[in-house]
Amino acid sequence: AAEAGFENLIIDSLSHAWNGKGGALEQVDRAGGSKFSNGWKTVTPLFNRLIDAVLSYPGNVICTMRTKTAYEVEMINGRAVPKKIGTAPVMRDGIEYEFTIVLDLHQNGNLTVSKSRCSDISGDFSREDIPKVMTKLKDWLGQGADVSPLDAVLEKIRFAPSIDALTALKTEI
């Protein structure tokens, strides 16, 4: 997508890379033996490369994720009782910290901003307000600085798939 020059990329749904067919959880299960020494030792670096590729995309990226009900166990009268505390993405724990803005879309069409680095976008919004929120987001994203030539080359080095690709970069330096 980046080589084709797409300024905007939508990944629907990033959750599949975690627990879909061929996703990280399935790869760990297929590795056999100890999940820590065989599975996660191999799968974690691959998954981290995927997240790094998403975060370093030279444009705007929107990732959708499925959600699941999140619970917390609390003690009531000496018994452990699960308590519903909201929803969480179907993804590796803590993934929301990787993103600039996290919007939670509710079944009724309203949304909640659960994380934002843009001070103009926070709180709860009705479905009627969503176009205004997206306009604010578009305007805010448009204020970003261009990628410097040095950063562009460093990004190519970081994601070069082979030694030959790295060697070809000599002409750009």
Side-chain angles (χ1 to χ4, degrees):
E3 288 177 13
F6 288 104
E7 183 179 335
N8 301 300
L9 176 66
I10 299 174
I11 300 172
D12 183 24
S13 147
L14 191 59
S15 294
H16 290 75
W18 182 247
N19 80 338
K21 184 176 181 178
L25 298 180
E26 188 176 287
Q27 290 177 39
V28 169
D29 287 342
R30 279 196 316 236
S34 167
K35 288 188 178 194
F36 291 100
S37 62
N38 290 350
W40 289 113
K41 181 179 179 181
T42 303
V43 174
T44 296
L46 294 173
F47 191 78
N48 289 344
R49 283 185 61 202
L50 168 66
I51 299 303
D52 287 344
V54 170
L55 296 176
S56 65
Y57 187 78
N60 302 310
V61 179
I62 296 172
C63 293
T64 66
M65 288 183 245
R66 295 174 181 243
T67 59
K68 61 185 174 191
T69 303
Y71 293 92
E72 169 178 281
V73 177
E74 62 180 24
M75 297 300 288
I76 298 177
N77 298 327
R79 291 182 36 212
V81 179
K83 176 184 174 186
K84 184 177 175 180
I85 59 170
T87 60
V90 175
M91 180 53 66
R92 177 172 64 183
D93 285 344
I95 192 68
E96 59 274 13
Y97 296 107
E98 302 291 350
F99 296 99
T100 301
I101 296 177
V102 178
L103 306 172
D104 300 318
L105 184 61
H106 305 288
Q107 288 181 339
N108 63 6
N110 297 338
L111 66 86
T112 298
V113 180
S114 56
K115 176 191 174 191
S116 179
R117 292 185 183 140
C118 172
S119 59
D120 288 342
I121 301 175
S122 63
D124 297 315
F125 296 92
S126 70
R127 65 184 319 148
E128 292 79 19
D129 291 331
I130 292 175
K132 294 175 198 166
V133 173
M134 295 302 111
T135 298
K136 285 182 181 182
L137 179 58
K138 180 182 174 194
D139 293 344
W140 182 72
L141 289 170
Q143 297 172 10
D146 292 333
V147 176
S148 73
L150 175 61
D151 286 338
V153 171
L154 290 173
E155 183 176 306
K156 289 178 183 178
I157 291 170
R158 182 176 179 202
F159 292 104
S162 66
I163 297 294
D164 291 338
L166 280 172
T167 303
L169 290 173
K170 283 183 184 179
T171 59
E172 293 187 37
I173 298 177

